[in-house]
Amino acid sequence: MQKKNSLVFVLVILVVTLACGQGNTAPLEASGGSDSEVTDTAESPTATAEPTPIVHVLIPDELPEKQSGVIGDQDSSITADDKRAPSGDRFTFGRYERPFNANTMDVYYPALDIQGALFYEDDTWLYAQIKFKNNDSSYVLNGKYGFEIDLDIDGGGDWLILVSEPSLEGWSTNGVEVWFDSNNDVGGVKTMYSDNTFTEGNGYETLVFGTSQGDDPDLAWGRISPQDPYAVEVAVKRSILEGDASFMVGVWAGTDDLNPALFDFNDHYTHEQAGTSLIEFEYFYPIKELSELDNTCRMAIGFQPTGNEPGLCPLPPKPGQDPPASGGCPPEYTVCFNFGNQVVCYCIQP
Ligand SMILES: [Ca+2]
Ligand SMILES: [Ca+2]
Ligand SMILES: [Ca+2]
Ligand SMILES: [Ca+2]
């Protein structure tokens, strides 16, 4: 076991990402939904061969004013010049902080470096807004982004919602996928933690919405935030919860290695294969087969967590309570997140 790590943060949100298999350099074809336009021209005398256009009935609008949760995540830009992450990459515990290329780690991807996330709910939708590092004005958000829902709060995810190459032009179903773990094997024998032996599980195997679209053409949507060009927003109908109002949410960003079939990654790779972005773990450093990937701790939605929920983020201070970082935390270990006019600080001292 390595020495104890400290993570940190706080809460919330979802996001999702999509998985369409391409890397983040090649433009993705719209594989998900279907914002097809119908052009009726005079030259189409018959209507027999035309596919039925998708008619969207319910489209998300603006996010609700008040979030249900907030999460922060490590900022790898601060150590990117050293080809390492500052902290937050703990393969054994299912936590990743590796917005870098494999093996050399000499390319840092700000568009994959989650800084924080917010989660929102209303009667129809669940929304995640995922915020990325904005230190490079030239990049585009062309990865896969999304969120994972653990419905029964056992540490194993149940739903995974992803958007690939989110649209700059408003809500779109293009590139959006909704995955479900029908046989409940995500997480393997020991949820959240690496299993002792490789899993034979099939991860998220059921594509409920995406290339082979299901019954509801409006089930899930993605876009780049109209207010923040460094934030991705993902929405899915809350009907997928089938009435369950208490669950855990974690956020993901990645490229090819963010493969729904390989959840949980730490049951499908060994630590040696996956590597680590933390130079302190010299036996495993650098990242190898599992790269260009970031995720967060999980926030509790719809219930008051006890602190023992699998993957739970450090709990935020209660109203009127000093944030933990103010209680003797050295300044270099104090990390604060800005969410609108709300500032939440945590101590990440090891
Ligand atoms: Ca992370
Ligand atoms: Ca990060
Ligand atoms: Ca496991
Ligand atoms: Ca499965």
Side-chain angles (χ1 to χ4, degrees):
M1 278 297 184
Q2 291 98 352
K3 63 186 174 182
K4 193 168 175 189
N5 180 25
S6 57
L7 304 177
V8 155
F9 314 30
V10 177
L11 352 147
V12 160
I13 287 209
L14 306 182
V15 167
V16 169
T17 300
L18 203 267
C20 265
Q22 276 100 343
N24 68 344
T25 51
L28 292 175
E29 290 187 19
S31 59
S34 42
D35 289 333
S36 48
E37 290 180 9
V38 190
T39 49
D40 233 339
T41 66
E43 293 98 69
S44 351
T46 69
T48 52
E50 289 294 318
T52 306
I54 301 283
V55 178
H56 289 295
V57 177
L58 270 181
I59 304 173
D61 194 2
E62 293 313 305
L63 274 50
E65 273 189 27
K66 187 166 180 355
Q67 74 270 12
S68 301
V70 177
I71 278 177
D73 196 59
Q74 276 82 359
D75 179 356
S76 281
S77 73
I78 61 176
T79 51
D81 287 348
D82 301 330
K83 301 170 184 167
R84 65 184 182 93
S87 61
D89 192 72
R90 298 304 300 271
F91 177 84
T92 308
F93 308 136
R95 287 295 311 283
Y96 304 102
E97 183 63 30
R98 39 185 83 189
F100 298 94
N101 58 334
N103 303 312
T104 52
M105 291 186 64
D106 53 358
V107 180
Y108 164 69
Y109 301 104
L112 298 176
D113 188 5
I114 300 169
Q115 305 293 298
L118 296 157
F119 192 79
Y120 299 85
E121 305 170 90
D122 61 26
D123 290 344
T124 307
W125 304 101
L126 309 171
Y127 314 81
Q129 184 190 62
I130 310 174
K131 295 170 178 288
F132 291 89
K133 188 62 189 176
N134 64 355
N135 67 346
D136 179 354
S137 60
S138 66
Y139 81 76
V140 292
L141 289 159
N142 58 358
K144 301 182 200 177
Y145 309 101
F147 63 96
E148 189 176 15
I149 296 175
D150 174 10
L151 265 182
D152 41 8
I153 315 178
D154 64 353
D158 298 294
W159 289 95
L160 178 67
I161 301 107
L162 295 173
V163 58
S164 264
E165 303 220 346
S167 167
L168 262 170
E169 259 101 71
W171 291 112
S172 171
T173 56
N174 289 339
V176 179
E177 295 178 347
V178 178
W179 292 88
F180 184 64
D181 175 26
S182 297
N183 59 350
N184 203 31
D185 61 5
V186 168
V189 177
K190 294 189 293 180
T191 58
M192 302 304 306
Y193 298 92
S194 298
D195 285 8
N196 294 328
T197 56
F198 274 178
T199 182
E200 295 179 4
N202 57 8
Y204 288 102
E205 78 293 320
T206 304
L207 185 60
V208 176
F209 179 86
T211 46
S212 56
Q213 192 163 301
D215 295 330
D216 184 350
D218 303 342
L219 188 65
W221 302 76
R223 69 175 178 180
I224 292 173
S225 168
Q227 283 83 38
D228 181 354
Y230 304 102
V232 175
E233 295 174 348
V234 181
V236 65
K237 284 188 179 174
R238 69 176 307 137
S239 58
I240 65 168
L241 305 178
E242 296 184 328
D244 195 338
S246 310
F247 50 94
M248 305 285 290
V249 172
V251 174
W252 290 88
T255 56
D256 291 356
D257 291 346
L258 181 49
N259 180 350
L262 297 184
F263 274 69
D264 280 339
F265 301 125
N266 59 5
D267 298 329
H268 281 87
Y269 296 93
T270 64
H271 203 167
E272 287 84 353
Q273 290 171 329
T276 182
S277 60
L278 301 188
I279 209 163
E280 301 90 327
F281 299 153
E282 56 189 37
Y283 182 72
F284 299 109
Y285 178 88
I287 55 173
K288 303 177 189 80
E289 293 183 35
L290 197 55
S291 64
E292 301 179 20
L293 186 72
D294 199 356
N295 78 346
T296 67
C297 53
R298 294 179 180 174
M299 58 192 167
I301 301 297
F303 70 105
Q304 193 61 43
T306 64
N308 297 321
E309 288 79 6
L312 181 72
C313 297
L315 295 175
K318 294 189 170 70
Q321 209 178 46
D322 287 339
S326 68
C329 187
E332 65 268 31
Y333 293 116
T334 301
V335 177
C336 296
F337 301 101
N338 280 295
F339 290 98
N341 54 7
Q342 178 186 18
V343 179
V344 180
C345 298
Y346 289 88
C347 188
I348 58 170
Q349 189 170 20

